[in-house]
């Protein structure tokens, strides 16, 4: 059984599925010197304090979401730039492939011409010897 250090073991009931429910530890709020102790505060005062804490938490969450959205916008910009770069690279590879294919055709034509020249030279040499 798992329990929180702030919670006595006997207060953490075990559910049927074997999971342990760990209650949040209760903290006593620190009372400012000028104010009354927390035990003397009214429910309305406690509600006002809780709402103030909730508003502060929501403000922090709004800031975190804004930061996350900014990070996502930066990521979108980066990936768009990467995509554009990859498209340019792909296009240049296609151009290079076309140029290599043209040079390869020229090399094959030159090879065929050289083979023909050597064959005709060889035929001329054999004719001259006879």
């Amino acid at each position: 059984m798992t329990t929180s250090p702030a919670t006595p073991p006997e207060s953490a009931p075990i559910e049927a599925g074997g999971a342990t429910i760990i209650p949040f530890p209760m903290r006593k709020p620190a009372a400012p010197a000028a104010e009354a102790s927390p035990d003397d505060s009214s429910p309305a005062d406690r509600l006002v304090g809780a709402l103030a804490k909730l508003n502060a938490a929501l403000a922090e969450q709004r800031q975190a979401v804004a930061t996350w959205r900014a990070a996502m916008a930066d990521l979108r910009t980066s990936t768009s730039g990467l995509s554009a770069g990859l498209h340019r690279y792909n296009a240049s590879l296609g151009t290079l492939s076309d140029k290599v294919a043209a040079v390869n055709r020229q090399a094959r034509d030159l090879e065929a011409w050289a083979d023909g020249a050597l064959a005709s030279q060889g035929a001329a040499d054999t004719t001259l010897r006879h």
Side-chain angles (χ1 to χ4, degrees):
M1 176 167 71
T2 306
T3 60
S4 168
T7 307
E10 62 274 359
S11 67
I14 298 177
E15 291 189 1
T20 302
I21 298 175
I22 303 170
F24 286 108
M26 299 300 288
R27 292 187 289 173
K28 293 188 180 197
E35 293 184 19
S37 69
D39 296 334
D40 295 340
S41 63
S42 69
D45 291 339
R46 289 193 305 267
L47 180 60
V48 167
L51 288 175
K53 289 178 184 177
L54 178 61
N55 283 334
L58 288 173
E60 287 179 22
Q61 187 176 20
R62 274 191 290 277
Q63 179 60 42
V65 168
T67 301
W68 177 77
R69 285 182 176 168
M72 290 294 105
D74 290 345
L75 179 62
R76 185 179 307 115
T77 301
S78 296
T79 55
S80 294
L82 178 61
S83 176
L86 286 174
H87 285 293
R88 284 191 306 274
Y89 182 65
N90 188 32
S92 68
L93 284 177
T95 302
L96 179 62
S97 175
D98 293 343
K99 289 179 181 179
V100 167
V103 169
N104 189 23
R105 280 190 302 276
Q106 290 174 348
R108 298 267 182 217
D109 292 344
L110 184 59
E111 181 183 26
W113 176 82
D115 287 345
L118 287 175
S120 66
Q121 181 66 31
D125 286 344
T126 54
T127 308
L128 292 174
R129 286 188 191 166
H130 288 331

